[in-house]
């Protein structure tokens, strides 16, 4: 999708604001159907902003995982970071940047989570194994926890539930919970995409966890599914669910118009873990996804949670 030029020069003419947002909508709808469904529950202005952020994140990811990833070098990511700084300065370079520049005007946010995400892509240039979960956590924060921080700026905070006299009146910003949701989503991606990743020579499952269940890298590349694999996957799924649980406690601090979409997105994405288990943990030959009828069932449950929790 993206290969940067040697010098940053704005495309002429750039797309209109309406065209740029529509492009972001189309990309989100095409490449992240579950996430897109959640955004449709947001007010128009907020969902458009989330689409703009999503497309920037996807373009960043494409640099190391897209069709032209073999051409990506550290210099490529340096240029991409320069383009990011241009966007934060209000100067779009490409058509999708137009929507992101507008989003940043409407919802001011820190550039650091964006830079941290680029740092995560740098990790993919030189690492294809993670010895410990602590190592993997840093990667997950950079490529996904950052998304939670970006999105929080758009969703906004409302601590009105603290009106009762026994609550501390300090405004609470659910940053830890936002990061936890990003971590949970990335761990879900890793488990769903094990088969694809080994095709790229990458293992994101911590090697210490493979050792814990006496499952080898050779077993992984041979796509061995046995009792060891079942136990390893159950362990990984439980870890991801713990992060989803951490994320849940922060939803009540969001503005009311953001609670239902976030609950929906959380439940829909967490549902992928249940599908993996239902598929007998075969992530080598079957891609786990939540069927559309099941997605519809989640929505009223998410609405009730948004009202009550």
């Amino acid at each position: 999708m993206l290969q940067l030029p040697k010098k940053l020069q704005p495309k002429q003419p750039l797309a209109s604001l309406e065209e740029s947002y529509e492009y972001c909508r189309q990309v989100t709808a095409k490449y992240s159907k579950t996430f897109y469904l959640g955004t449709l529950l947001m007010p128009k202005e907020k969902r458009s902003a989330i689409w703009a952020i999503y497309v920037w994140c996807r373009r960043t990811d494409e640099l190391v995982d897209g069709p032209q990833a073999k051409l990506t070098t550290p210099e490529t990511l340096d240029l991409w970071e320069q383009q990011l700084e241009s966007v934060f300065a209000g100067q779009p370079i490409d058509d999708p940047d137009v929507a992101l520049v507008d989003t940043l005007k409407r919802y001011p946010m820190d550039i650091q989570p964006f830079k941290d995400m680029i740092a995560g892509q740098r990790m993919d240039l030189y690492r294809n194994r993670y010895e410990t979960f602590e190592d993997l956590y840093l990667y997950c924060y950079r490529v996904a926890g950052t998304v939670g921080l970006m999105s929080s700026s758009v969703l906004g905070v409302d601590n009105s539930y603290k009106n009762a006299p026994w609550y501390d009146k300090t405004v609470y910003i659910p940053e830890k919970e936002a990061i936890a949701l990003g971590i949970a989503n990335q761990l879900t991606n890793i488990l769903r995409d094990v088969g694809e990743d080994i095709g790229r020579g990458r293992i994101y499952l911590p090697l210490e966890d493979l050792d814990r269940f006496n499952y080898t890298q050779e077993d992984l590349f041979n796509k061995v599914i046995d009792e060891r694999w079942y136990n390893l996957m159950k362990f990984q799924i439980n870890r991801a669910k713990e992060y989803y649980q951490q994320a849940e406690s922060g939803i009540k601090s969001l503005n009311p118009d953001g609670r239902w979409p976030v609950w929906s997105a959380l439940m829909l994405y967490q549902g992928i873990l249940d599908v993996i288990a239902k598929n007998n943990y075969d992530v080598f030959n079957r891609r786990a996804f939540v069927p559309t009828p099941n997605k519809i069932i989640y929505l009223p449950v998410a609405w009730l949670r948004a009202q009550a929790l």
Side-chain angles (χ1 to χ4, degrees):
M1 179 184 290
L2 173 68
Q3 185 62 35
L4 294 175
K6 289 297 181 183
K7 293 184 179 180
L8 293 178
Q9 295 181 343
K11 171 186 173 183
Q12 297 296 337
L14 287 169
S16 69
L17 186 59
E18 182 179 353
E19 290 169 340
S20 182
Y21 273 121
E22 174 58 18
Y23 171 80
C24 293
R25 184 197 69 78
Q26 291 178 9
V27 171
T28 309
K30 179 177 180 180
Y31 292 103
S32 188
K33 294 179 175 60
T34 297
F35 178 73
Y36 179 71
L37 178 60
T39 64
L40 293 179
L41 304 176
M42 298 179 184
K44 181 179 179 181
E45 185 176 288
K46 289 190 175 182
R47 67 174 177 251
S48 296
I50 294 295
W51 294 336
I53 293 170
Y54 170 84
V55 168
W56 183 86
C57 294
R58 179 170 180 81
R59 295 172 77 206
T60 304
D61 182 68
E62 286 279 300
L63 289 172
V64 295
D65 276 336
Q68 295 182 303
K70 291 182 179 179
L71 302 177
T72 296
T73 65
E75 181 188 18
T76 308
L77 294 176
D78 290 342
L79 285 168
W80 186 235
E81 190 162 337
Q82 289 176 34
Q83 180 161 342
L84 171 68
E85 291 170 350
S86 178
V87 168
F88 267 78
Q91 301 172 351
I93 303 297
D94 293 329
D95 289 343
D97 295 342
V98 175
L100 185 55
V101 166
D102 184 68
T103 290
L104 293 171
K105 289 178 182 177
R106 295 173 183 271
Y107 305 99
M109 57 189 82
D110 193 339
I111 195 174
Q112 194 57 50
F114 293 81
K115 289 191 171 187
D116 287 345
M117 177 171 281
I118 295 173
Q121 308 309 319
R122 293 185 193 278
M123 292 173 75
D124 269 334
L125 289 184
Y126 66 86
R127 292 193 70 165
N128 56 21
R129 302 286 190 281
Y130 291 87
E131 290 291 335
T132 68
F133 178 68
E134 287 71 23
D135 294 336
L136 180 65
Y137 180 91
L138 175 61
Y139 173 76
C140 290
Y141 161 72
R142 286 177 170 174
V143 301
T146 51
V147 180
L149 295 177
M150 298 171 194
S151 302
S152 293
S153 299
V154 175
L155 295 171
V157 173
D158 175 18
N159 288 169
S160 59
Y161 72 93
K162 287 188 167 187
N163 288 337
W166 52 83
Y167 276 116
D168 177 4
K169 298 304 180 183
T170 304
V171 174
Y172 180 69
I173 309 297
E175 290 187 356
K176 291 182 179 178
E177 293 87 346
I179 292 172
L181 181 54
I183 299 293
N185 287 344
Q186 186 60 24
L187 292 175
T188 301
N189 287 339
I190 287 170
L191 297 179
R192 181 195 61 194
D193 297 339
V194 167
E196 294 179 19
D197 289 330
I198 60 174
R200 300 186 180 108
R202 294 180 184 171
I203 298 176
Y204 288 105
L205 299 176
L207 300 185
E208 67 176 3
D209 291 345
L210 269 65
D211 291 341
R212 182 195 303 262
F213 294 97
N214 197 29
Y215 192 89
T216 68
Q217 294 185 48
E218 183 179 2
D219 290 329
L220 190 60
F221 283 105
N222 287 330
K223 304 179 181 180
V224 174
I225 299 177
D226 58 13
E227 195 67 25
R228 296 170 303 154
W229 176 249
Y230 297 150
N231 292 331
L232 172 60
M233 286 296 285
K234 289 175 185 176
F235 178 82
Q236 302 298 327
I237 286 174
N238 286 337
R239 174 186 279 155
K241 286 186 174 182
E242 287 176 2
Y243 279 96
Y244 280 116
Q245 189 172 6
Q246 290 178 34
E248 289 177 4
S249 63
I251 299 177
K252 64 184 177 183
S253 296
L254 299 176
N255 279 333
D257 62 14
R259 294 172 195 164
W260 185 23
V262 174
W263 265 115
S264 298
L266 184 153
M267 293 176 65
L268 288 166
Y269 225 77
Q270 186 173 215
I272 294 173
L273 299 175
D274 297 327
V275 175
I276 290 173
K278 185 178 179 181
N279 289 346
N280 208 28
Y281 307 102
D282 182 1
V283 288
F284 302 110
N285 305 298
R286 303 179 67 179
R287 183 174 177 82
F289 67 93
V290 178
T292 299
N294 292 24
K295 291 179 181 179
I296 301 303
I297 292 172
Y298 279 122
L299 298 183
V301 179
W303 184 85
L304 290 173
R305 289 187 174 184
Q307 311 310 309
L309 300 180

